[in-house]
Amino acid sequence: MNPQAGVPATPCVGVGWRQPHYEALLAQRPALGFIEVHSENFFADGGVALAVLEAGRAAYPVSLHGVGLGLGSAVGLDDWHLERLARLVERVQPAWVSDHACFARVGSGLHAADLLPIPFNDESLALLARHVDAVQQRLGRPMLVENISAYVGWGGDTLAEPEFFNELTRRSGCGLLLDVNNLVVNARNAGHGPEAAAREAMRWVDAIRPGSVGEMHLAGHCEREDGLVIDDHGSRVRDEVWRVHAHAIARFGPTPTLIEWDQDLPELHVLLAEAERARAVQP
């Protein structure tokens, strides 16, 4: 499968479209390449939310970004969740469909309501590739899989994270949704300062094979008093993340890029200014 099927021929930058900006974005119709929403917010068969999404789809290409598939869950995929996603995809015909390389479901179907990290080994890779393939077969299209920010890890990893994603995209035909902020957050939590974290993230980017990245995410993060860095999507993109993004664009070429802002939302013009900064990086 082509991981960039449906991608516009020209580089584009989008924003995460959240409820406080629904009305303003539809009224102003700013120049954006696409808008992205969380798939699970629109699983109902009707109602106001779905009507708003359809209005947004009439104005922009839409990216459906999921947080609930739990692609790395050993107990398997949730059939109900996948069917709701498939119905939404059929209705919206999005430019991209994505979710995370994580597990969420355990035991008899309990859902952690979080993006929990998976081990980077052959067993986990085989499981993830099998689930990604099942989703793609049901949707009838390739999907993008995002690298996550992780605050704990597993002992005994046998694959470096970039190697893991390179093999996943080869086996399944999916694309990588490269979250640049997550790379920096993980490097910061490994003990690196901002500049060193940016260098570590650039090395991660350099290990990813060209042609596999279908989209990038940029977001803000915060540092707690105890030193833990949190991927909170609640502020402007940090300078070190912008540097890694520019490095990634130089390596992979023009790539659809999203500004994520999910809490402490600013006025729409602030979000659009971040999108314009991302657009300026594109060649």
Side-chain angles (χ1 to χ4, degrees):
M1 292 183 181
N2 175 6
Q4 296 203 42
V7 175
T10 55
C12 57
V13 173
V15 299
W17 193 33
R18 308 299 180 243
Q19 189 277 328
H21 294 149
Y22 284 174
E23 184 176 354
L25 185 133
L26 290 175
Q28 297 176 27
R29 301 290 178 96
L32 291 168
F34 66 103
I35 54 176
E36 188 164 278
V37 299
H38 289 149
S39 307
E40 290 82 4
N41 290 337
F42 303 93
F43 275 4
D45 287 325
V48 174
L50 191 57
V52 169
L53 179 58
E54 290 178 334
R57 178 64 183 87
Y60 300 98
V62 167
S63 175
L64 294 178
H65 185 53
V67 296
L69 270 175
L71 291 167
S73 300
V75 295
L77 296 171
D78 181 337
D79 292 336
W80 179 89
H81 191 289
L82 181 53
E83 286 305 309
R84 301 307 301 187
L85 177 61
R87 292 176 66 171
L88 182 62
V89 167
E90 183 177 357
R91 184 166 192 162
V92 175
Q93 292 298 305
W96 304 277
V97 180
S98 59
D99 210 300
H100 300 78
C102 69
F103 81 94
R105 300 180 66 242
V106 296
S108 58
L110 295 176
H111 200 289
D114 204 347
L115 307 176
L116 302 176
I118 57 177
F120 297 119
N121 57 37
D122 290 332
E123 182 181 5
S124 179
L125 174 61
L127 175 73
L128 188 62
R130 185 166 65 250
H131 288 167
V132 168
D133 184 64
V135 173
Q136 293 180 144
Q137 292 296 329
R138 178 62 187 89
L139 301 184
R141 59 162 68 204
M143 70 178 301
L144 303 175
V145 179
E146 179 182 337
N147 57 293
I148 70 166
S149 55
Y151 306 100
V152 295
W154 295 85
D157 285 351
T158 57
L159 297 170
E161 189 176 7
E163 181 185 3
F164 183 93
F165 280 103
N166 283 341
E167 188 58 29
L168 176 67
T169 57
R170 287 192 188 99
R171 289 190 190 185
S172 69
C174 75
L176 173 62
L177 196 171
L178 177 61
D179 191 308
V180 178
N181 186 61
N182 288 350
L183 299 182
V184 173
V185 167
N186 289 344
R188 289 293 316 278
N189 286 328
H192 300 286
E195 293 303 319
R199 291 193 294 271
E200 284 295 311
M202 289 178 192
R203 282 190 279 271
W204 200 104
V205 167
D206 288 342
I208 293 296
R209 64 185 183 91
S212 63
V213 177
E215 186 185 340
M216 295 188 200
H217 275 184
L218 301 174
H221 60 261
C222 68
E223 184 172 358
R224 300 193 326 190
E225 290 184 2
D226 62 3
L228 185 67
V229 178
I230 302 294
D231 172 41
D232 67 345
H233 299 182
S235 58
R236 291 181 184 270
V237 179
R238 301 273 186 128
D239 287 345
E240 56 270 27
V241 176
W242 283 119
R243 287 193 288 276
V244 180
H245 176 240
H247 182 82
I249 291 293
R251 175 165 173 76
F252 302 124
T255 305
T257 299
L258 181 85
I259 302 296
E260 286 189 295
W261 203 317
D262 293 316
Q263 61 178 345
D264 296 328
L265 284 162
E267 295 295 323
L268 181 59
H269 70 86
V270 176
L271 191 61
L272 296 176
E274 292 287 273
E276 186 57 37
R277 184 170 179 180
R279 186 180 292 110
V281 176
Q282 303 275 1

